[in-house]
Amino acid sequence: MTAALARPVAAAAPATSRLGRIAWNWRHNPKLELWLAWYTILVFYNIFGIVFFVMTRSQPPPKAWWSLPRMVQWFADNEWGLLVGFGIIFAMGAFATASTALITYSIRRMSVSPAFAYTYLILYSLAAVPGMLLTCIALVVGAMRLDRDPALMGSLYDMGFIAFSGTMGIFLVGSVIWAVAILLDTNRIFPRWFGYFNICNALTEVVVATCVIEKSGPFAWDGIISFYVNMVVFGIYTGVFITLLRKMIEREDFTAGSPLSQHRRPHAI
Amino acid sequence: MWVLVMIEGLTFAAYFVVYTYFYRQSPDLFLASQAHLDLTLGVVNTIILLTSSWSIARCVERSRAGDYKAALRNVLLTMAGGFLFAGIKLYEWSVEIGRGFTFTTNTFFSFYYFLTGIHLLHIIVGSIALFVVIHQLSSPARRAQEIIETGATYWHMVDFLWVIIFALLYVMR
């Protein structure tokens, strides 16, 4: 964090200790808010990965074809992981908005209508509810009382994983909006190839829709096509966009048109 | 655009590998199911797409030479090919569904609807790209060669993917 924050923008940073540089940047760096948002994204995705893949074992998703007793067993096997892991997500789930905010900011820097940014903002704000929170709620409710009727446990299990995988359509449309904005942009906030990568990501996410039809095989929510191929593309895509957002912040010069151009930190001028 | 072509190529390659794996798991089921597909419609659609690829190549060539009228004619021919392909594909689906073969019938038909469906989606996106090319060619104020060639590259990719899908689903024994 210090390497990024230590970039003097408007005044020479005092060449003292690391702590001193952090303190100086905290007060003077005009990009402070952007860097805070970027590091929040980094922290959030890491915690998200640990919670979903390690603590709760909800990713990669368990089998869609399991019988009711096996589903109940899955809740029992992962009881504490689900309760503690998703408790962490409930506590810090709002950090997910940093990513949406920074991407919305990037679209506002482009030479396109602000409608793109606002549409993206609304779409992703809505998408996190079924795509993340509903999954967490359903699975936590299941883990909370393991002695519930197995039929109810089965419903919570299905709801949790369908909410996670089956609602990709909203993310897909968001990805297309970002792609079109990048391709139309003449300010070159992002390279054109990343616009095409967005289209590619959107086309891959369509595949997940089959998980509401199939309960087993390559097209179920745990299937090799619906989940694994899609996850590889999405993983690369996420890594790329986080890196490009970092480059955008490094290049940011707060020229006219920047949403922050009117809000410079007074110490930086 | 080459990034998109590369990533799409890799993603589809993964789909094809998975298809081949499942084919090898139950070859009898796949061959029996494949026999229900209409090979003639598959061949006709392949010829249509190959022709549309030829016409979009002609469009680029004419555009480079400054003959924008001919370029426009060729891109319109390409688009007509795309619509015809989509129409035949929808007809083919309706025939298969009428016979009782749906997405959930068996793994082969899941792959059949999935691969042809995702390809059809690419045809729709390609048609949007062709609209952009038509928009570019229809006014002397625009005519950006880079955009025209980008649209053509995408269409060639769609054509290339279909040739492999056709070979896997209709022909491979």
Side-chain angles (χ1 to χ4, degrees):
Chain A
M1 182 165 184
T2 47
L5 288 182
R7 292 168 189 282
V9 173
T16 56
S17 65
R18 171 178 286 198
L19 208 61
R21 288 203 303 275
I22 293 174
W24 183 91
N25 276 291
W26 186 264
R27 293 190 63 230
H28 298 279
N29 194 326
K31 299 179 183 178
L32 179 69
E33 293 92 340
L34 297 179
W35 283 119
L36 283 176
W38 190 82
Y39 279 102
T40 304
I41 296 172
L42 212 59
V43 170
F44 174 76
Y45 272 105
N46 277 290
I47 292 177
F48 182 91
I50 292 168
V51 167
F52 277 80
F53 283 83
V54 182
M55 292 181 74
T56 63
R57 303 288 174 92
S58 55
Q59 299 294 320
K63 305 296 178 199
W65 52 263
W66 275 349
S67 62
L68 288 178
R70 186 66 188 86
M71 292 177 192
V72 175
Q73 185 61 45
W74 181 82
F75 277 110
D77 291 345
N78 299 291
E79 182 187 3
W80 283 103
L82 289 166
L83 295 176
V84 175
F86 288 145
I88 292 170
I89 293 291
F90 291 146
M92 55 161 294
F95 283 8
T97 54
S99 165
T100 309
L102 207 50
I103 293 169
T104 304
Y105 173 86
S106 77
I107 302 175
R108 287 287 285 114
R109 293 289 282 121
M110 295 177 191
S111 63
V112 295
S113 162
F116 282 92
Y118 300 142
T119 312
Y120 186 92
L121 179 67
I122 294 167
L123 270 174
Y124 265 69
S125 304
L126 293 174
V129 176
M132 184 180 75
L133 288 178
L134 193 57
T135 298
C136 300
I137 292 167
L139 298 182
V140 161
V141 169
M144 240 180 111
R145 296 183 210 281
L146 295 171
D147 54 349
R148 276 200 180 91
D149 179 355
L152 272 177
M153 296 294 266
S155 299
L156 291 169
Y157 181 88
D158 285 347
M159 189 202 282
F161 290 107
I162 287 289
F164 190 87
S165 303
T167 56
M168 287 289 177
I170 311 176
F171 293 99
L172 182 158
V173 176
S175 208
V176 169
I177 287 168
W178 199 13
V180 174
I182 291 168
L183 294 176
L184 293 176
D185 175 36
T186 53
N187 292 344
R188 284 285 159 268
I189 299 297
F190 288 109
R192 193 179 281 268
W193 63 261
F194 183 63
Y196 292 119
F197 195 178
N198 263 286
I199 295 174
C200 197
N201 179 57
L203 289 170
T204 317
E205 285 185 352
V206 174
V207 174
V208 188
T210 57
C211 78
V212 299
I213 303 170
E214 292 281 2
K215 292 191 191 69
S216 62
F219 302 103
W221 73 50
D222 59 313
I224 189 160
I225 286 186
S226 294
F227 180 77
Y228 288 95
V229 174
N230 185 31
M231 188 52 81
V232 169
V233 175
F234 183 73
I236 297 170
Y237 170 77
T238 305
V240 167
F241 89 65
I242 290 175
T243 307
L244 289 176
L245 283 174
R246 181 189 174 102
K247 286 185 183 299
M248 178 196 76
I249 298 171
E250 285 171 350
R251 284 199 317 270
E252 178 61 276
D253 56 4
F254 302 115
T255 51
S258 160
L260 285 185
S261 61
Q262 304 302 314
H263 304 286
R264 289 186 179 191
R265 295 162 69 79
H267 296 296
I269 300 170
Chain B
M1 176 52 78
W2 288 109
V3 170
L4 184 137
V5 172
M6 187 189 73
I7 297 169
E8 288 284 295
L10 288 172
T11 309
F12 269 86
Y15 297 155
F16 299 151
V17 169
V18 174
Y19 172 82
T20 311
Y21 171 79
F22 278 89
Y23 180 96
R24 288 181 65 86
Q25 293 291 101
S26 22
D28 295 339
L29 171 79
F30 273 59
L31 284 176
S33 305
Q34 191 186 55
H36 294 289
L37 297 187
D38 192 332
L39 184 62
T40 310
L41 287 180
V43 171
V44 169
N45 256 351
T46 307
I47 293 169
I48 289 170
L49 266 200
L50 287 175
T51 310
S52 73
S53 239
W54 170 79
S55 62
I56 197 69
R58 286 276 300 161
C59 163
V60 170
E61 187 256 325
R62 287 292 81 208
S63 169
R64 280 180 185 167
D67 185 0
Y68 294 109
K69 256 189 165 177
L72 192 58
R73 269 201 310 275
N74 276 289
V75 71
L76 287 170
L77 186 65
T78 308
M79 182 162 270
F83 285 142
L84 195 58
F85 177 93
I88 291 174
K89 183 50 63 193
L90 291 175
Y91 168 73
E92 192 184 335
W93 280 356
S94 71
V95 170
E96 296 300 339
I97 291 168
R99 289 177 184 164
F101 299 118
T102 62
F103 190 89
T104 52
T105 300
N106 60 34
T107 314
F108 174 82
F109 276 101
S110 294
F111 272 106
Y112 166 73
Y113 285 106
F114 166 70
L115 287 173
T116 54
I118 196 93
H119 182 263
L120 193 60
L121 189 68
H122 282 71
I123 290 275
I124 293 167
V125 175
S127 301
I128 297 168
L130 292 180
F131 267 120
V132 175
V133 173
I134 291 168
H135 179 69
Q136 287 289 320
L137 287 170
S138 57
S139 164
R142 294 184 288 265
R143 291 176 181 168
Q145 188 65 26
E146 189 193 341
I147 295 175
I148 294 165
E149 295 193 13
T150 298
T153 306
Y154 184 88
W155 196 259
H156 286 312
M157 180 194 76
V158 170
D159 186 15
F160 169 70
L161 291 175
W162 172 254
V163 172
I164 301 174
I165 291 170
F166 170 70
L168 284 176
L169 290 177
Y170 294 78
V171 183
M172 191 170 85
R173 297 279 190 270

